[in-house]
C-alpha cells in the first residue's frame, strides 16, 4: 500500500460556502471565492512532486488547522487540488488521479491561530473496491 503524507502551510479556503456570481457576457456563472482562487497556487506550490500519482482507491485523513473559529470544516477544495489536472492547474503536479478515488475520509477541524495549515495523509487501499460481504438475500415470501 502506497502512502503520501505532507503539510500545506496557510489557512485553507472553503469551496462550498463561498461561491460568487460573475457576469460573462449575457449570462451569470458561479465561481470560487477570491480566497479560494488565491489559495489554489499557494497549495499547488507546496504540494509534493510524486513519481506517480496514487491510482487505487484511497483513504484520506485530513486535519485542517484554522486561524480562527469562524470557518466551517470543508475539505472539498483540498480534494480538488490534490488531483492531476494539467489543463486546470497548468502544472504536472498531483498526488491522485481523481477525487473519486477517495472512498474513505477522516476530516478533522483544529484551531491554531499562529500556524494554520492542512496535514494530509493519503493511503492506497485496493480492498475498498472489492465487496467484503455478499449482500444478504431477502427472505422468500411464504404462501
Amino acid at each position: 500500500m502506497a502512502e503520501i503524507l505532507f503539510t500545506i502551510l496557510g489557512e485553507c479556503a472553503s469551496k462550498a460556502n463561498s461561491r460568487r456570481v460573475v457576469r460573462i457576457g449575457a449570462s451569470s456563472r458561479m465561481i470560487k471565492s477570491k480566497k479560494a482562487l488565491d489559495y489554489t497556487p499557494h497549495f499547488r506550490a507546496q504540494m509534493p512532486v510524486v513519481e506517480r500519482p496514487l491510482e487505487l482507491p484511497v483513504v484520506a485523513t485530513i486535519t485542517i488547522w484554522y486561524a480562527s473559529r469562524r470557518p466551517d470544516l470543508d475539505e472539498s477544495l483540498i480534494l480538488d487540488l490534490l488531483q492531476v489536472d494539467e489543463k486546470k492547474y497548468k502544472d504536472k503536479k498531483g498526488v491522485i488521479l481523481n477525487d473519486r478515488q477517495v472512498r474513505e475520509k477522516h476530516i478533522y477541524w483544529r484551531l491554531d491561530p499562529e500556524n494554520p495549515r492542512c496535514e494530509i495523509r493519503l493511503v492506497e487501499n485496493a480492498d475498498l473496491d472489492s465487496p467484503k460481504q455478499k449482500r444478504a438475500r431477502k427472505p422468500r415470501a411464504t404462501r
Side-chain angles (χ1 to χ4, degrees), residues 50-65:
V50 295
E51 190 173 310
R52 68 164 187 82
L54 302 177
E55 298 173 351
L56 298 174
V58 171
V59 176
T61 303
I62 303 172
T63 304
I64 305 173
W65 297 81

Side-chain angles (χ1 to χ4, degrees), residues 5-124:
L5 178 66
F6 61 99
T7 299
I8 302 293
L9 302 177
E11 186 168 62
C12 178
S14 173
K15 180 178 146 185
N17 293 339
S18 55
R19 297 273 179 176
R20 59 187 172 136
V21 179
V22 294
R23 303 266 308 150
I24 299 175
S27 63
S28 297
R29 288 188 55 190
M30 296 287 287
I31 65 168
K32 293 177 189 172
S33 69
K34 180 172 178 0
K35 184 176 179 183
L37 291 171
D38 291 345
Y39 184 70
T40 297
H42 177 77
F43 184 100
R44 299 287 291 188
Q46 294 183 64
M47 191 165 52
V49 175
V50 295
E51 190 173 310
R52 68 164 187 82
L54 302 177
E55 298 173 351
L56 298 174
V58 171
V59 176
T61 303
I62 303 172
T63 304
I64 305 173
W65 297 81
Y66 291 101
S68 73
R69 297 183 191 281
R70 192 163 183 241
D72 291 338
L73 180 62
D74 181 11
E75 79 288 353
S76 58
L77 181 60
I78 294 170
L79 293 175
D80 281 351
L81 295 173
L82 293 173
Q83 298 177 96
V84 174
D85 193 337
E86 291 180 41
K87 292 179 186 175
K88 191 174 187 178
Y89 300 119
K90 298 175 179 50
D91 65 32
K92 295 184 179 191
K93 286 186 170 183
V95 293
I96 59 175
L97 297 175
N98 192 297
D99 59 1
R100 286 180 295 220
Q101 287 172 252
V102 179
R103 305 287 164 75
E104 186 177 317
K105 296 190 276 189
H106 304 274
I107 312 301
Y108 303 97
W109 187 103
R110 299 288 187 267
L111 180 66
D112 187 348
E114 303 298 318
N115 185 23
R117 63 196 179 277
C118 298
E119 296 172 349
I120 300 162
R121 179 177 182 240
L122 304 168
V123 180
E124 279 186 325

